[in-house]
Amino acid sequence: MRKNIYIIALLTLLLVSFGASAQGELTFEKETHDFGTIAEGTLASYEFKVKNVGDQPVVISNVQPSCGCTTPDWTKTPILPGKTGVIKAVYNSASRPGPFYKSILVVSNGKTPNTTIYIKGEVGPKDLKNGYTQEQKLMSPRLAVGSTIHSFGKLEKGQKATAKFIIKIQVGRTL
């Protein structure tokens, strides 16, 4: 009887040890994403790619951003060994001018149960135009004023003064 208890205890210990070594493990393609400069009011979105390099499925149970300005979404199904999932982070830049650096906690049943990823960038003015190339900026119309000052000399009381200014629109400036 006592011999059977030792055998059962030994088998239990072996099974627990074997089960502990077989585990899923998440690796991130990158842990920080820099949005650069974005216009205020933009919903900036990025998908972090995550791969299970372990030998058991991994379930991401929660993704918690550091503040309410970031909304997460993630792969809800188990990530099988060798397969990938995504964690999407959407940053709402409305009424948040200036630089930002936000953390996002990823909770899973993987080898490392808690991992933190980050998004950063800077929120610029609302009218920020990110889509124009230097060439497009150079080709945009510009006003050219021949002279910005005029001397009327000495005027007598009640005398009307008029001046003409020539304003031209230039297109295709060169530096």
Side-chain angles (χ1 to χ4, degrees), residues 36-42 93 96-100 121-128:
T37 303
I38 59 174
E40 185 177 343
T42 300
S93 67
R96 293 183 176 89
F100 65 92
E122 182 156 352
V123 178
K126 290 179 183 179
D127 62 350
L128 180 68

Side-chain angles (χ1 to χ4, degrees), residues 84-102:
T84 59
V86 294
I87 297 165
K88 182 178 179 180
V90 180
Y91 178 74
N92 184 352
S93 67
S95 301
R96 293 183 176 89
F100 65 92
Y101 189 80
K102 304 296 177 184

Side-chain angles (χ1 to χ4, degrees), residues 20 24 27 38 43 65 92 95 98 118 129 132 135 148 165-166 175:
T27 58
I38 59 174
L43 291 175
N92 184 352
S95 301
Y118 303 91
K129 302 291 185 199
Y132 294 120
E135 184 179 336
T148 57
F165 291 90
I166 299 174
L175 292 178

Side-chain angles (χ1 to χ4, degrees), residues 32-53:
T32 300
H33 176 71
D34 187 350
F35 287 108
T37 303
I38 59 174
E40 185 177 343
T42 300
L43 291 175
S45 177
Y46 182 75
E47 288 189 355
F48 289 90
K49 290 180 180 49
V50 60
K51 184 174 183 178
N52 181 356
V53 295

